[in-house]
């Protein structure tokens, strides 16, 4: 599936965030943008979120969210 994160992408994204929630959100945005050419609202792509969460080995309790409204506004969430 085209949403599967690559090792290099995971390594890069892990260095950019401070929590598993942010890692999941960033990876969803990155993978979706690579495929579709725009950043989706995270609520609009639940299948991608579930797939990437599973690939990252994160629990079901980890949500793709940003702590700041400003971050979400910048990338269209």
């Amino acid at each position: 599936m085209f949403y599967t994160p690559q090792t290099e992408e995971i390594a890069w994204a892990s260095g950019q965030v401070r929590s598993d929630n942010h890692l999941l959100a960033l990876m969803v945005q990155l993978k979706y943008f690579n495929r579709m050419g725009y950043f989706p609202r995270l609520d609009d792509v639940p299948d991608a979120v579930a797939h990437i969460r599973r690939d990252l080995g994160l629990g079901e309790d980890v949500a793709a969210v940003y702590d700041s409204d400003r971050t979400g506004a910048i990338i269209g969430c």
Side-chain angles (χ1 to χ4, degrees):
M1 179 171 218
F2 54 80
Y3 292 126
T4 302
Q6 302 301 308
T7 304
E8 301 83 15
E9 293 169 330
I10 296 170
W12 174 81
S14 295
Q16 306 303 310
V17 298
R18 298 181 200 189
S19 72
D20 287 344
N21 291 344
H22 293 162
L23 175 61
L24 179 57
L26 179 58
M27 287 304 306
V28 169
Q29 293 290 345
L30 175 66
K31 296 307 292 185
Y32 203 89
F33 185 85
N34 285 345
R35 175 71 176 176
M36 304 302 286
Y38 66 94
F39 296 109
R41 289 179 34 86
L42 294 170
D43 294 340
D44 292 343
V45 291
D47 291 342
V49 172
H51 177 86
I52 292 171
R53 180 187 299 119
R54 189 173 46 251
D55 284 353
L56 293 173
L58 301 173
E60 292 291 322
D61 59 322
V62 176
V65 297
Y66 290 105
D67 288 340
S68 170
D69 290 338
R70 288 180 37 187
T71 302
I74 291 168
I75 58 174
C77 298

